[in-house]
Structures are given as structure tokens and as C-alpha cells.
Amino acid sequence: MTARLAPARTHAPMRRFDVTVTRVRTVTPHLVRITFGGADLADFHDDGPDQRFKLFLPRDGQDRPLVPEGDDWFARWRALPDAVRPTMRTYTVRRYRPEPAEIDVDFVLHGDAGPATAWAARARPGDAAVLLGVRADHAPPAGAAWQLLAGDGSALPAIAAILERTDLPTLAYVEVAGAVDRVELEVPGDSTVRWVYRADGPDALLRAVRGADLPAGSPYAWVAGESAAVQAIRRHLVADRGIAPDAVTFGGYWRLGAPIDPS
Ligand SMILES: Cc1cc2nc3c(=O)[nH]c(=O)nc-3n(C[C@H](O)[C@H](O)[C@H](O)COP(=O)(O)OP(=O)(O)OC[C@H]3O[C@@H](n4cnc5c(N)ncnc54)[C@H](O)[C@@H]3O)c2cc1C
């Protein structure tokens, strides 16, 4: 991921949560909400609205993913044989509830090409996973008067959570496949959400942001989604709109044609 943090922030240490699927709900034809529960989640520390975590999924024939413990977990995970090394992907906590301790995660269903989306499409209560996290990046600078959010379906969970929790007037652009993929969002009275459809052609999100009538006052921007699209939008905001680079948080959430997380 190529996220950049606006102001410096401190975070609670990352920790591991062994979880089990408790509910599965179809939100749209391309989005499924999976609720995870488990005693470990009682220790969950909220880090901010776009908090992300590493999701580990079992390999065929395993009940639980085999995730190494300790500070050197990554090197040990990489060293595992292919047949047992769990799939690792990055997701966002859509919502955390303390009692009973549960988190919702919204998975984009983008076909069977990826192990995470394939797992989500077939997930059932009782399925096991491991989460490692959490870390948030959304960080408007002091003095920001408004914020721009822009992203595709993979960023929609974070955009939805930011809209629910922000004090800043917000202009949000969300790209989904089509009108059936729109979801209900809590939108504060001083904020606006504009839906953009991929069916309208390539670069639909970039073109929408290019055409935006931006409010006056000191801006903050948060952009996430397909890597090349995110880079192009960030370039536009900095080069053409004059937004300071350190007032833009951006993250390549997936990469067209290849996994973005190591396998
Ligand atoms: C910080 C962060 C937070 C994220 N939060 C979420 C989240 O809450 N919900 C969510 O759904 N995703 C989220 N993502 C994106 C998710 O990690 C990727 O989409 C990931 O590639 C999915 O893994 P996979 O196994 O399904 O596909 P991979 O094995 O990684 O990729 C297989 C193929 O699918 C394509 N592909 C991957 N993702 C998409 C997509 N979204 N749409 C279309 N094609 C795709 C790739 O280009 C590749 O060709 C987040 C990513 C990051 C970095």
C-alpha cells in the first residue's frame, strides 16, 4: 500500500485476533458484509475510521489459518511452505461493536480471481480467520475547513465510516460498478456524496473529481482504491488544484491485474 499520512500520529501496537464468522449478509450484488466475533475482540482498540488490518485465511484442508506469532511473524509467514502459508490480504473495519464484541467487514465481490473475494463469496458462520491490526490513516490537519473523499468499492467501507465519524464538511466521490451497487450512507447535513459508475467509462472517478466544484477554505483529501487511479487523482489534486501534498492521504488498495499484497 502507498498510504501517506497527513500529520504524524501515534498508534496502539498491532495485535492479533483469532475470530470466527458469525453472520454473512449480502449488501449489494458486489458487496458482502461478514461479521466476525470471538473473545479476542474484547481487547479491540479503535484507531480511527479507516482502520485496516491484515486478514489471514486458511488454506484448503485447514480449519484455521496457521499464522506465526511474534515480532518476526512476517519473515516466518513468508518462509512457510506454499501448501500451508495462509492467504494474507488487507481489509477495513467497517464497524466495531463492543457487546458482544464483533466487527463488520465489507468485502467487494470481484469474481473468483482472488482468494479473499472467493473466500468471502462462500463464507459461512463458523469459518475461522485471523486478523492482525489495526491501523488508521485518516488524519485531517489542524485547521482543515473541509475534506474531499474519493474511492472505489474497496474504499467504500472506509468512506462510510469516515462520513459517520467526521466533524468536517465532506464532499465524497464513490465509484461503483452501477446503480445497483449504491449503499445507504449516513451523510451529515453539511456533506455531499456523489456516486460515479464504472459503466460510464475508464477514469470515471478521476473525471468526476476533475469536474468537482471544490469549496473554499483549507482542504484535506483522502483518496483510496485502484492504485493507478489513486495516483492520478492525487497528482490532479496537488498539481492542478494546489492542495498541499501533506494534506492528501492516499492508498493504493488494489492493483489492476495482480495482487497488491504479497502471497
Ligand atoms: C488499507 C486497505 C484497506 C482495504 N479495505 C478493503 C475493504 O474493506 N473491502 C474490500 O473489498 N477491499 C479492501 N481492500 C482491497 C483488498 O485488499 C484488495 O482488493 C485485494 O486485492 C483483494 O484480494 P483478493 O484475494 O480478492 O484478490 P487478489 O488475489 O489480490 O487479486 C486478484 C485479481 O483481482 C483483482 N482485484 C483485486 N481487488 C479488486 C477489486 N476491489 N475490484 C476489482 N478487481 C480486483 C486484481 O487486480 C487481480 O487481478 C483494502 C486494501 C487496503 C490496502
Side-chain angles (χ1 to χ4, degrees), residues 37-81:
D40 284 3
L41 290 172
D43 294 337
F44 184 88
H45 284 283
D46 192 293
D47 197 51
D50 60 341
Q51 52 199 333
R52 60 192 148 88
F53 59 87
K54 293 293 181 196
L55 168 72
F56 296 89
L57 299 171
R59 288 277 170 178
D60 287 349
Q62 295 176 330
D63 289 336
R64 295 206 145 260
L66 187 68
V67 183
E69 309 251 4
D71 290 345
D72 60 345
W73 67 267
F74 184 73
R76 292 170 55 219
W77 170 81
R78 289 226 75 157
L80 287 170

Side-chain angles (χ1 to χ4, degrees), residues 1 31 50-54 87 89-94 105-111 113-118 137 152-155 157-158 198 251-261 263:
M1 183 176 114
L31 198 71
D50 60 341
Q51 52 199 333
R52 60 192 148 88
F53 59 87
K54 293 293 181 196
T87 295
R89 294 290 185 267
T90 312
Y91 281 85
T92 304
V93 176
R94 171 64 186 88
V105 182
D106 287 355
F107 290 77
V108 172
L109 300 177
H110 59 86
T117 196
D137 296 318
D152 60 26
S154 66
R198 206 162 306 133
Y253 273 19
W254 60 282
R255 188 187 305 125
L256 195 59
I260 206 161
D261 273 312
S263 303

Side-chain angles (χ1 to χ4, degrees), residues 212-231:
D213 194 7
L214 301 184
S218 185
Y220 170 65
W222 183 101
V223 187
E226 198 283 322
S227 228
V230 166
Q231 295 286 350

Side-chain angles (χ1 to χ4, degrees), residues 55-190:
L55 168 72
F56 296 89
L57 299 171
R59 288 277 170 178
D60 287 349
Q62 295 176 330
D63 289 336
R64 295 206 145 260
L66 187 68
V67 183
E69 309 251 4
D71 290 345
D72 60 345
W73 67 267
F74 184 73
R76 292 170 55 219
W77 170 81
R78 289 226 75 157
L80 287 170
D82 287 356
V84 297
R85 187 174 58 248
T87 295
M88 179 179 75
R89 294 290 185 267
T90 312
Y91 281 85
T92 304
V93 176
R94 171 64 186 88
R95 190 173 281 124
Y96 168 69
R97 286 177 297 278
E99 290 194 10
E102 285 183 332
I103 66 168
D104 295 333
V105 182
D106 287 355
F107 290 77
V108 172
L109 300 177
H110 59 86
D112 261 352
T117 196
W119 178 88
R122 293 170 184 75
R124 295 286 172 269
D127 289 353
V130 171
L131 320 184
L132 185 70
V134 289
R135 193 55 45 94
D137 296 318
H138 179 259
W146 63 277
Q147 66 182 340
L148 174 77
L149 309 177
D152 60 26
S154 66
L156 182 52
I159 290 174
I162 293 169
L163 282 165
E164 285 168 9
R165 295 168 59 166
T166 192
D167 291 333
L168 285 178
T170 302
L171 176 58
Y173 285 86
V174 184
E175 185 195 87
V176 289
V180 290
D181 295 300
R182 288 170 65 144
V183 299
E184 286 294 322
L185 295 172
E186 273 179 37
V187 185
D190 56 3

